[in-house]
Amino acid sequence: MIKVNKGNRKYLIGIIIMVLIIIAIFSIIFIDYQNKHLKEISRDYFYMDTYINVKVYSNNKKKANKALDEIENIYKTYHNLTDRYNSNELGLYNLNHGNNDIDDKLLEMIKYADSWYDKTGGLLDITIGNVVDVWKKYRDLGSGIPTSEELTTANINHDDMIINDKVILNNNVSIDLGAISKGYTTQIVGEYLKSVGLTKFIINAGGNVLVGDYYKQSSDTYNVGIEDPTNNNSLYQIVKVNNKAIVTSGGYQRNYTYNGVTYNHIINPKTLYPANNMQSVTVICDSSSMADALSTTLFLMSVDDGLAFIDNYDAEAIWYLNDGTIVKSKGFSIYE
Amino acid sequence: MNKKDILLCIILLVISLSLYLIFNLFQDKGNKKAIVYYDSKEVLSIDLSNKEYQEYTVKGYNGDVRIESLNGMVRVKEEVSPLHLCSRQGYISKSYESIICLPNKIVIEIEGSSNIDTIAR
């Protein structure tokens, strides 16, 4: 033990306080620096016929990479389960070809998608598969359009799909989950990231966006650009969001022109023809699955019907009409 | 504490603050670059501040992908794919733009300061 006299003790206390203050200052600086400079860990995936990018912001690179591995599994699993053109065990292809034994995850997705049928007055109809295929045949050819007879023959009554603890398809119904699968799977990925404590992320699944908390430690928000449907090198709107899904439905990415008329890939189950009320519509809401369902529905509706419809939901929308007019839902301005 | 201690305190404070400022100044403020990724891995970085014509070839999933840069813009010149969507897209130059060649698992992004975090389409 070192003997200290009164004067020295005072001096010692002074030094200790000083050291503590310095440690505190350095800690604050260090934490602040770390928060402002979280590492961006990014990965690309190629599933569901699209390019998917997930960015996670964290100081724990190992944890983030592990999560990104798991996300690969999620997209791969749902890709296989919802693929209509390749045989897959417990998946949609086999279901559409008479095998009722499907994975619970697929059953859940079908139930969710079909829950929109009544809510949308039959506009979101997953039993449209055969009609989609008829149009796909002509789109792949790049010319011609189906006769109305071809379309009505392919069209199956929605009631021919029976869902309980199984899905039973009568009269060769073919389910198509294209309206929902990307948004639904992205929602699962977002929930997974939050469940493992990685709350700061940007998921972009072929233009379907889901963002988490902002990656910088401030009250700021992400800036998400919405692409101009008539010019893919420019943006027509920027929205400021955190913890939101932004999903666009538009006919401008997958289409073909025949006799001067452009036919896109989103088929109205009422008319059996591609919808052409607008160039595109983008929905912002909390859930990516809901955003996907709503954007498809709005794309099939007239703008006026859509404005009334979206009012029933905790969601906002922006329309890009055929003549270039921009229409926004009532509360859209909170994101501007 | 005497005057010397207070002086020491102030000096340490100044050092801390300057360290903080240096940390912040060391952010990327580099030139505009185009980064080419193959299956998530960076395979090429193109300095777009160099306005001269430059040509590069990277390996894609289906074969060689030829990339050109000129006047701060970058494009895919030639690639092996069924629809040639990425070579048909033409030049990109803004930091939120990207070229995605799905069949070749090639992504070209422009790095630089941008206030856009991602694009919905």
Side-chain angles (χ1 to χ4, degrees), chain B:
Chain B
M1 295 213 279
N2 59 31
K3 272 182 194 162
K4 272 186 188 162
D5 298 323
I6 292 166
L7 190 69
L8 188 63
C9 257
I10 291 168
I11 288 169
L12 281 166
L13 257 170
V14 169
I15 291 172
S16 321
L17 280 171
S18 35
L19 269 175
Y20 174 71
L21 285 175
I22 288 165
F23 264 140
N24 272 306
L25 285 174
F26 266 107
Q27 290 178 47
D28 291 309
K29 277 187 182 162
N31 294 328
K32 195 164 92 173
K33 284 183 290 188
I35 314 284
V36 182
Y37 299 90
Y38 172 66
D39 207 7
S40 275
K41 281 169 207 76
E42 183 177 330
V43 289
L44 177 66
S45 167
I46 301 169
D47 183 3
L48 293 179
S49 62
N50 180 356
K51 306 278 184 200
E52 304 282 298
Y53 175 85
Q54 297 169 90
E55 203 180 308
Y56 310 87
T57 304
V58 296
K59 278 255 173 300
Y61 191 74
N62 289 344
D64 284 352
V65 177
R66 282 177 58 206
I67 297 163
E68 291 178 339
S69 78
L70 179 70
N71 277 332
M73 308 184 295
V74 62
R75 73 160 174 175
V76 171
K77 175 84 188 304
E78 236 182 304
E79 98 291 345
V80 187
S81 72
L83 299 170
H84 302 291
L85 288 178
C86 59
S87 50
R88 276 161 59 191
Q89 186 179 344
Y91 281 105
I92 60 166
S93 59
K94 299 189 193 86
S95 55
Y96 55 79
E97 290 181 305
S98 58
I99 297 176
I100 293 150
C101 189
L102 212 55
N104 280 303
K105 299 192 174 189
I106 292 281
V107 176
I108 305 175
E109 281 177 346
I110 295 188
E111 208 174 65
S113 56
S114 163
N115 59 339
I116 305 294
D117 295 299
T118 193
I119 312 276
R121 60 168 66 91

Side-chain angles (χ1 to χ4, degrees), chain A residues 11-238:
Chain A
Y11 189 68
L12 200 65
I13 290 169
I15 287 187
I16 289 169
I17 290 171
M18 219 170 71
V19 167
L20 284 176
I21 290 172
I22 289 161
I23 289 173
I25 290 170
F26 269 99
S27 318
I28 290 167
I29 289 170
F30 184 69
I31 290 167
D32 184 59
Y33 179 82
Q34 282 224 316
N35 281 332
K36 276 190 181 161
H37 300 260
L38 289 173
K39 286 189 194 76
E40 177 189 288
I41 302 105
S42 169
R43 196 154 328 156
D44 297 338
Y45 310 96
F46 299 88
Y47 292 109
M48 299 180 156
D49 294 323
T50 199
Y51 159 68
I52 302 161
N53 174 262
V54 178
K55 287 184 172 67
V56 174
Y57 300 91
S58 168
N59 283 316
N60 192 338
K61 213 172 165 179
K62 210 172 149 188
K63 182 178 168 185
N65 271 313
K66 225 178 115 193
L68 291 174
D69 290 343
E70 176 56 24
I71 289 170
E72 168 118 42
N73 280 333
I74 297 174
Y75 276 115
K76 196 176 178 177
T77 302
Y78 279 91
H79 167 91
N80 288 331
L81 286 176
T82 58
D83 189 343
R84 287 184 60 221
Y85 302 106
N86 297 295
S87 171
N88 38 60
E89 209 188 335
L90 309 179
L92 188 58
Y93 179 91
N94 288 5
L95 174 67
N96 283 339
H97 290 80
N99 182 2
N100 289 0
D101 194 14
I102 56 168
D103 192 289
D104 284 345
K105 290 192 279 294
L106 179 59
L107 179 65
E108 276 308 303
M109 196 199 284
I110 290 174
K111 280 184 177 170
Y112 177 80
D114 199 52
S115 73
W116 286 93
Y117 181 80
D118 286 334
K119 287 185 228 167
T120 60
L123 276 178
L124 200 86
D125 185 352
I126 58 171
T127 64
I128 190 87
N130 290 319
V131 179
V132 168
D133 284 346
V134 171
W135 278 103
K136 188 179 183 295
K137 193 176 80 190
Y138 286 92
R139 193 169 70 243
D140 288 348
L141 278 172
S143 79
I145 56 163
T147 62
S148 58
E149 201 194 339
E150 240 178 303
L151 293 171
T152 34
T153 316
N155 188 31
I156 309 289
N157 197 328
H158 178 264
D159 295 339
D160 283 327
M161 175 180 71
I162 299 148
I163 304 174
N164 35 53
D165 55 337
K166 264 187 173 157
V167 180
I168 295 155
L169 303 175
N170 297 322
N171 283 325
N172 294 319
V173 168
S174 183
I175 292 179
D176 184 292
L177 292 167
I180 210 113
S181 54
K182 254 191 283 172
Y184 184 94
T185 311
T186 298
Q187 181 63 24
I188 287 171
V189 169
E191 281 165 16
Y192 165 74
L193 278 173
K194 287 195 172 170
S195 76
V196 295
L198 295 165
T199 61
K200 299 171 181 189
F201 57 81
I202 301 176
I203 306 171
N204 193 325
N208 281 27
V209 172
L210 179 67
V211 296
D213 292 330
Y214 193 58
Y215 60 92
K216 287 179 188 164
Q217 197 80 344
S218 66
S219 56
D220 213 347
T221 57
Y222 288 105
N223 290 324
V224 179
I226 303 177
E227 191 177 272
D228 181 340
T230 60
N231 174 7
N232 68 6
N233 281 339
S234 76
L235 308 172
Y236 80 92
Q237 177 74 42
I238 293 165

Side-chain angles (χ1 to χ4, degrees), chain A residues 122-123 128 130-136 138-139 144-155 251 254 256 258 261-278 296-297 299-301:
Chain A
L123 276 178
I128 190 87
N130 290 319
V131 179
V132 168
D133 284 346
V134 171
W135 278 103
K136 188 179 183 295
Y138 286 92
R139 193 169 70 243
I145 56 163
T147 62
S148 58
E149 201 194 339
E150 240 178 303
L151 293 171
T152 34
T153 316
N155 188 31
R254 251 180 266 171
Y256 74 102
Y258 175 66
V261 183
T262 301
Y263 299 93
N264 66 58
H265 72 289
I266 305 176
I267 310 299
N268 186 331
K270 305 279 187 194
T271 64
L272 309 183
Y273 279 80
N276 57 1
N277 293 320
M278 64 200 69
T296 306
T297 306
F299 190 75
L300 299 172
M301 285 179 170

